[in-house]
Amino acid sequence: MNSSECAIVQKLISDLDDTRLLYMKLRPLLIRPHLKFLVARITASHAAIADELVGQMDRAGGLTARRGGGILAGIRTKVGSWVAIANLDIEVGCLKCVARHEARVTRRFRQTLEHVKGLNQNLHRELCELERACLRIETLMREMEMPSLAVSRRPAPTTRLSTHQGPRR
């Protein structure tokens, strides 16, 4: 692996570590167990992918990979959690934040697989898993937003005056 390929892989490792730290902060804000499980699964997947990339860089004789996120990881984590909390529904805010970051990670992942030849084929499967998880998150987000949209779009109830006068006596 040459130095430019190592730089591309290092950017992906930093993104994976950044998002992992963010998701660890967002996870306690989630109430529904299936959402917690999904975010925990994505977090574990990010850690496993980053570990695999570090190992491949070492085996290829490339530069030593840095772990723990980029320089701005702490700031991004705080801003991301604040944005999630700022929503009316905190869980939907968390999912929006996760979806936004997952889109960035999968985009970077695809670029890395295109530009760095000789990466483990296992990583292609991991990318598919991340894309499926992102699709699940987006679907859950839409489902969670649906009831609030249906309530807000429902017409106001109207009272009808009855023309029926009832039985005559």
Side-chain angles (χ1 to χ4, degrees):
M1 207 179 286
N2 63 34
S3 62
S4 64
E5 291 174 333
C6 285
I8 292 169
V9 172
Q10 180 60 57
K11 286 179 185 176
L12 178 58
I13 291 170
S14 293
D15 276 354
L16 289 166
D17 286 341
D18 285 354
T19 53
R20 186 174 47 86
L21 294 172
L22 174 63
Y23 299 168
M24 288 170 53
K25 186 145 181 134
L26 292 178
R27 189 169 170 239
L29 300 174
L30 298 170
I31 298 166
R32 294 177 177 93
H34 62 281
L35 298 179
K36 283 186 176 196
F37 174 76
L38 183 58
V39 171
R41 188 170 165 198
I42 293 170
T43 303
S45 182
H46 282 209
I49 293 167
D51 290 342
E52 175 65 27
L53 289 170
V54 168
Q56 286 191 30
M57 281 178 67
D58 288 343
R59 286 189 297 276
L63 302 172
T64 304
R66 294 180 315 277
R67 292 300 304 270
I71 297 169
L72 302 174
I75 295 170
R76 285 186 193 144
T77 300
K78 287 181 183 175
V79 169
S81 60
W82 289 336
V83 168
I85 292 171
N87 279 307
L88 294 176
D89 185 345
I90 292 176
E91 284 190 315
V92 172
C94 289
L95 291 180
K96 284 180 180 179
C97 187
V98 169
R100 189 172 42 254
H101 283 83
E102 278 305 296
R104 189 184 78 224
V105 167
T106 55
R107 189 172 45 250
R108 172 97 54 188
F109 205 151
R110 274 190 226 101
Q111 290 170 349
T112 301
L113 290 174
E114 287 175 12
H115 291 58
V116 180
K117 303 301 178 208
L119 287 177
N120 189 343
Q121 290 300 320
N122 195 28
L123 292 173
H124 291 281
R125 185 177 53 82
E126 294 290 340
L127 175 61
C128 290
E129 284 296 318
L130 286 179
E131 288 173 337
R132 272 193 288 265
C134 193
L135 182 61
R136 276 188 222 117
I137 288 170
E138 290 171 354
T139 302
L140 286 170
M141 217 169 36
R142 275 189 239 110
E143 288 175 4
M144 290 171 68
E145 289 178 325
M146 283 295 229
S148 62
L149 289 175
V151 169
S152 66
R153 291 184 182 168
R154 191 179 318 156
T158 59
T159 55
R160 292 185 183 209
L161 297 176
S162 176
T163 56
H164 185 299
Q165 297 189 3
R168 292 184 184 215
R169 293 186 190 197

